Amino acid sequence: MGRMNEANQAHVVADPWPAPVATAPLDATVTIPGSKSLSNRYLILAALGSDPVRIRGLLRSRDTDLMMGALRALGVTCEEDTDEPTTVTVTPPKDGVFSGNSEVFCGLAGTVMRFVPPLVLFADGPVRFDGDEQAYARPMEPLLFGLKQLGARVEYHGERGHLPFTVTPPEHLGTGDGKPVKVRVDSSSSSQFVSGLLLAASRIPDGVLLRHTGTTLPSLPHIRMTMEDINVAGGDVTMPERGRWLVQPRALGLPGTVTVEPDLSNAAPFLGAALIAGGVVRVPNWPAHTTQPGGLLPSMLHKFGATVTLDGDPFDEVNDCEMFDDDFNGTLAVTGGTSIRGLGELDLSAAGEIAPSVAAIATLANSPTELIGIGHLRGHETNRLAALVTEIERVGARAEELDNGIAIEPVADDALHGAVMESYADHRMATFAAMLGLRIPGIEIKDVLTTRKTIPDFTGMWTAMLAQHE
Ligand SMILES: O=C(O)C1=C[C@@H](OP(=O)(O)O)[C@@H](O)[C@H](O)C1
Ligand SMILES: C=C(OP(=O)(O)O)C(=O)O
């Protein structure tokens, strides 16, 4: 049975949270917890190795607790340091074989439901996967189709192509003829199908040749992150052309200690606050080189009208990555101007997960913004395009759903008004509402604790940021 712990429960629903209004320009420094995407990749790669790996700066939130719960169900040990819960040592099963006849609970975590099923290829029996009821709507079929091409059997217990399901490992792995297994999947509804298959592929004898068959491919930085992390773990994965990956068979092993970067997508609401409330917000430990899509934020915030510096150097220079060593970390500082410029058309296909934060800034801009390339957000924690339109209109601004995105038309500040806003069990819809609340009095957010999906204490961090002002 999957472990019943706090992560297995969606969250405790309390009264709506009155979002604080910024009464003075900010002058805040905000330390952002570890990246969800890097934390959960390191946990998977450590589980696929043969020696213990110490992960420092691990995000401790619902999605990473669910990942550790999933790995424990498969026979992996995840042990947190007694005095530092963000340091966790992962020890893979002795013989590299994961425990079958087990159950994994995915909650609403895309990284758990897409990265863990491929581990069943190396298990000694079937594994049943389940999650929050809301997770039943999220697309799964392309990943499971990929696993079938690698020899696994899949049985659906509800709707075909969705949670809950059981994966049974194949009797033999690989082609046996010295050639990589050819796998074709349509990853247009989530990059996580490609990432999940790549993470496991190094352990398939003779390797894997993976091809994406769809016309669009979202979140390419997240796929590059997967490739980089696999290669850091001693793997050999290349992308000879866009939409095609070759994974050589390799024994994986992360370095003995790895350190997780701050979650740059979770930095977005805080940095965006500088534009909305005015003043300056600083985020320490900002990596000059990163595969996180949040690395696109400095240039985006600059276009919205912010002044952006890294360790005091102006944005134009910090954008020139040649200036910095690979492991350079600096303090990113974002200073708001007198008004926010709308961006016209902005393609967010590379960074869909920051769309709600970008939408909040665009709602308070002085001209329209169209966010495009994000049709796949309909399959995120909730249908984010529909949710954003509803919530933007709820406070009196105008928005429209497009085929592949959302058009936002700001209105005069005095046409905006407070409201009790829905969060749809979606951490980013809750932080979106908090951003609007900085400028619109009377916003209350239902179920704000849903932010625990990726931030352990969002309301505490938000209140502390507002307490630091000019
Ligand atoms: O691989 C990852 O860690 C992620 C990939 C993206 O998924 P999609 O490609 O489904 O948007 C992103 O939105 C998600 O938050 C995290
Ligand atoms: C889409 C997201 O999450 P998930 O990893 O559950 O897909 C997100 O965090 O914005």
Side-chain angles (χ1 to χ4, degrees), residues 238-261:
T238 50
M239 185 167 69
E241 62 190 88
R242 198 184 163 101
R244 203 161 67 92
W245 296 267
L246 180 61
V247 187
Q248 303 289 354
R250 291 284 185 276
L252 294 178
L254 278 172
T257 303
V258 288
T259 303
V260 180
E261 294 171 5

Side-chain angles (χ1 to χ4, degrees), residues 36-37 41 111 114-115 189-192 195 218-219 222 353 376 380 428:
K36 164 198 75 174
S37 292
R41 280 168 174 76
T111 48
R114 277 77 176 255
F115 296 176
S189 57
S190 172
S191 64
Q192 292 173 342
S195 285
S219 318
H222 275 119
E353 72 176 6
H376 69 291
H380 273 187
R428 299 202 201 275

Side-chain angles (χ1 to χ4, degrees), residues 11 61-62 266 423 425-431 445 447-459:
H11 35 264
S61 70
R62 187 172 187 234
N266 278 340
S423 52
D426 182 348
H427 54 147
R428 299 202 201 275
M429 288 307 299
T431 51
I445 307 172
D447 194 13
V448 73
L449 291 182
T450 199
T451 46
R452 286 186 183 158
K453 184 173 188 291
T454 58
I455 308 182
D457 179 23
F458 171 71
T459 53

